[in-house]
Amino acid sequence: MAAAGEGTRSSRRPRQDPPRRPPRDGYGVYVYPNSFFRYEGEWKGGKKHGHGKLLFKDGSYYEGAFVDGEIMGEGRRHWAWSGDTFSGQFVLGEPQGRGVMEYKAGGCYEGEVSHGAREGHGFLVDQDGQVYQGSFHGNKRHGPGQMLFKNGDKYDGDWVRDQRQGHGVLRCADSSTYEGQWHSDVFSGLGSMAHCSGLTYSGLWINGHPAEQATKMVILGPEVMEVVQGCPFSVHVQLLQDQGEIAQGESGRVLQISAAVRYVQLPAYSEVSFFQVDRDSQETLIQTPFHEAGVLGPRATKGAAETAMPLPGGDQELDSDATHGQEDTLSDQLARGCVPCCPGACQRVQQGRAAFTDVLLGPPPPGYHPFLFLDSLHKKAGSRSRGGAHPRAAPPTTPEPPGGSRPEGRAMEERTAAAAYPGEYVVMIRDVTTPPFLGRTLPTAFKHLRVVANSSAQRPHVLEEGAEASGGRQATYSCSPEPPVPQ
């Protein structure tokens, strides 16, 4: 009975199997007690050793070399939570040494790693296709390196925690180049830029902007420039900073000179002319600092660089031509019915300064007719109001030079015939740098210009004392040299 009872008790006790142990040597499969890991591969002394594959319950895995139960050597690791995969060297389960990291979001990294992060020298292609080759620290670009951006820009220089900082060279896709100091990924410190337009700036940069950049243009000289009809003259321009200092660090900006008829209500007896315009030739005024109203005619034909620019909107624009560098004579150009056009109408700035030399104003555009005051008209005017209309007169002509057939006499006659009528004008200097430097075009500069009749030609104007169109300081530019000063 006792035996039977003992047997009954033993039959009721649950049977317990010994825990499953990992294989001792050779190839085998082992599922860990927590069911999170599963290994199949080579074993040695009851430890993972050799080549094998360790699978995680969340879908991650490692396949490669094992040494004494640890992930060690060459292998491939995939993280299910991020989708990233690393192939390369491992130490104690972490990527360490050299390898290739493929990112699920796009891009890849090939180079040195430490504790799973980019560290040392490497080659990175991000998800936008941008390429960096250089030094890394703490998984970020840090130290010297080169980068090709998706817009085509190339940078070669120093980096600090994924930002350009230190000294570097940026070569833009539009051929602009900057070389100098950087901070927080922008130009900061001393640097030089060679812009694709031909403009260069060397000096201090603050937060990506030139600290000594030109902000305006000024035309040097008196308030009113006086020139003799048919005589070339010079215009000198300076680029100024906000503080009024010359922007000497800037060169290469393209400036274009032109002129406009200045509409002004003159006294009845004046040395200068004003103009009447045909009714069918009117258009928008060009606003200038000297007068807000004016009569208009069609704009003179310009080069492509100017016709593409809208006028700021009152004086009527004329051609302004430089005489140097022209192969045709004035008579040949007039015979073809065109106004002289010379590359001298544009100049590049040098260290914040530019000069237009041998500038000669052309005649007014079609539709403009000067009012000329003659002695006979003045005598008959009598009770006529000072602002009344006068009959149109023919353009001023020059007498036959004493030499008749002398070349210099003929040239002077041609020059006077092709020159602007005596009158009130405005000289305009435009910034036509293309493309604009850093997206900014300087505002147009203006200068009041008065053309007076040539003393060697017939003068249809009558000058009476006290008759001036405007006040202010004046400077007269004459064709004939001044007499020598007695010693």
Side-chain angles (χ1 to χ4, degrees):
M1 294 292 295
E6 290 178 2
T8 303
R9 286 194 298 268
S10 63
S11 63
R12 295 175 181 175
R13 185 182 304 163
R15 186 175 182 178
Q16 296 180 356
D17 296 329
R20 186 176 180 183
R21 295 180 180 180
R24 185 71 181 170
D25 295 297
Y27 183 90
V29 176
Y30 178 70
V31 178
Y32 286 79
N34 59 12
S35 302
F36 189 80
F37 301 101
R38 181 179 184 274
Y39 173 79
E40 56 180 271
E42 297 177 327
W43 298 81
K44 182 179 181 181
K47 296 181 178 180
K48 301 182 290 294
H49 190 89
H51 186 274
K53 185 173 184 179
L54 181 65
L55 296 95
F56 302 81
K57 195 172 185 179
D58 64 354
S60 303
Y61 69 87
Y62 167 81
E63 183 175 7
F66 290 83
V67 175
D68 291 332
E70 297 289 347
I71 297 175
M72 188 83 68
E74 293 285 337
R76 177 181 177 86
R77 174 81 157 86
H78 174 75
W79 291 267
W81 62 271
S82 66
D84 299 339
T85 302
F86 177 80
S87 301
Q89 298 173 334
F90 288 81
V91 174
L92 297 178
E94 290 185 332
Q96 185 87 9
R98 294 193 60 86
V100 176
M101 179 74 79
E102 301 175 60
Y103 301 100
K104 180 181 180 181
C108 66
Y109 169 78
E110 180 177 358
E112 298 174 329
V113 295
S114 178
H115 300 288
R118 298 185 292 265
E119 189 79 25
H121 189 272
F123 183 89
L124 174 66
V125 180
D126 65 17
Q127 59 184 356
D128 295 323
Q130 301 180 129
V131 179
Y132 172 84
Q133 184 173 6
S135 296
F136 289 85
H137 177 67
N139 220 35
K140 298 181 181 294
R141 293 163 290 187
H142 192 91
Q146 302 173 349
M147 183 149 184
L148 174 62
F149 296 88
K150 62 180 180 181
N151 63 356
D153 294 351
K154 298 178 181 179
Y155 174 79
D156 186 358
D158 298 327
W159 295 77
V160 174
R161 297 184 62 82
D162 265 349
Q163 292 187 329
R164 290 167 287 188
Q165 189 159 313
H167 185 273
V169 179
L170 176 66
R171 295 177 175 86
C172 302
D174 63 2
S175 76
S176 300
T177 300
Y178 170 84
E179 180 174 3
Q181 297 298 309
W182 295 72
H183 191 275
S184 300
D185 221 32
V186 296
F187 312 147
S188 189
L190 295 178
S192 300
M193 171 172 280
H195 194 248
C196 58
S197 64
L199 187 151
T200 60
Y201 172 84
S202 298
L204 182 64
W205 296 74
I206 298 177
N207 293 328
H209 300 282
E212 301 169 355
Q213 182 184 7
T215 58
K216 60 182 178 179
M217 299 183 290
V218 295
I219 303 175
L220 303 183
E223 294 180 9
V224 181
M225 293 176 57
E226 265 195 11
V227 299
V228 178
Q229 180 191 16
C231 294
F233 57 96
S234 298
V235 177
H236 296 270
V237 184
Q238 287 183 350
L239 307 189
L240 301 182
Q241 307 172 32
D242 285 330
Q243 299 80 4
E245 299 179 357
I246 300 177
Q248 298 185 11
E250 185 175 310
S251 297
R253 189 182 292 271
V254 182
L255 306 183
Q256 184 181 64
I257 188 171
S258 59
V261 175
R262 180 171 179 250
Y263 178 70
V264 59
Q265 293 292 344
L266 297 177
Y269 307 110
S270 174
E271 183 185 11
V272 297
S273 303
F274 65 98
F275 298 85
Q276 180 183 18
V277 65
D278 295 340
R279 291 184 178 180
D280 57 354
S281 300
Q282 295 187 7
E283 58 178 53
T284 307
L285 301 177
I286 302 174
Q287 300 297 331
T288 73
F290 307 111
H291 213 278
E292 296 182 355
V295 291
L296 294 176
R299 282 198 296 268
T301 302
K302 297 286 186 179
E306 185 170 350
T307 54
M309 293 179 56
L311 296 176
D315 296 320
Q316 168 58 36
E317 189 174 5
L318 302 180
D319 276 333
S320 175
D321 304 306
T323 57
H324 53 74
Q326 300 185 45
E327 298 180 359
D328 297 339
T329 64
L330 291 173
S331 59
D332 293 335
Q333 293 171 332
L334 292 173
R336 294 197 302 267
C338 64
V339 180
C341 183
C342 177
C346 290
Q347 294 289 337
R348 284 194 180 270
V349 173
Q350 295 296 329
Q351 295 182 341
R353 299 175 175 87
F356 297 85
T357 58
D358 296 332
V359 178
L360 182 63
L361 296 187
Y368 269 80
H369 309 282
F371 278 112
L372 304 179
F373 300 104
L374 305 178
D375 284 337
S376 59
L377 295 177
H378 287 184
K379 293 177 182 179
K380 294 179 181 180
S383 60
R384 182 175 299 179
S385 63
R386 299 181 66 181
H390 296 274
R392 292 183 184 174
T397 57
T398 58
E400 186 70 24
S405 60
R406 291 189 305 171
E408 58 271 19
R410 179 62 177 169
M412 185 63 193
E413 180 181 354
E414 293 174 350
R415 180 188 297 179
T416 305
Y421 302 140
E424 298 278 321
Y425 298 89
V426 176
V427 173
M428 299 179 288
I429 303 296
R430 287 191 180 96
D431 176 11
V432 294
T433 308
T434 305
F437 180 54
L438 301 181
R440 181 176 182 179
T441 298
L442 299 183
T444 302
F446 302 92
K447 175 65 70 172
H448 185 181
L449 177 69
R450 180 175 297 149
V451 177
V452 298
N454 194 325
S455 59
S456 63
Q458 292 180 353
R459 299 186 61 181
H461 300 79
V462 174
L463 173 63
E464 296 193 2
E465 294 183 2
E468 290 189 0
S470 61
R473 298 168 53 195
Q474 302 179 7
T476 302
Y477 297 81
S478 175
C479 289
S480 58
E482 297 181 358
V485 178
Q487 298 295 329

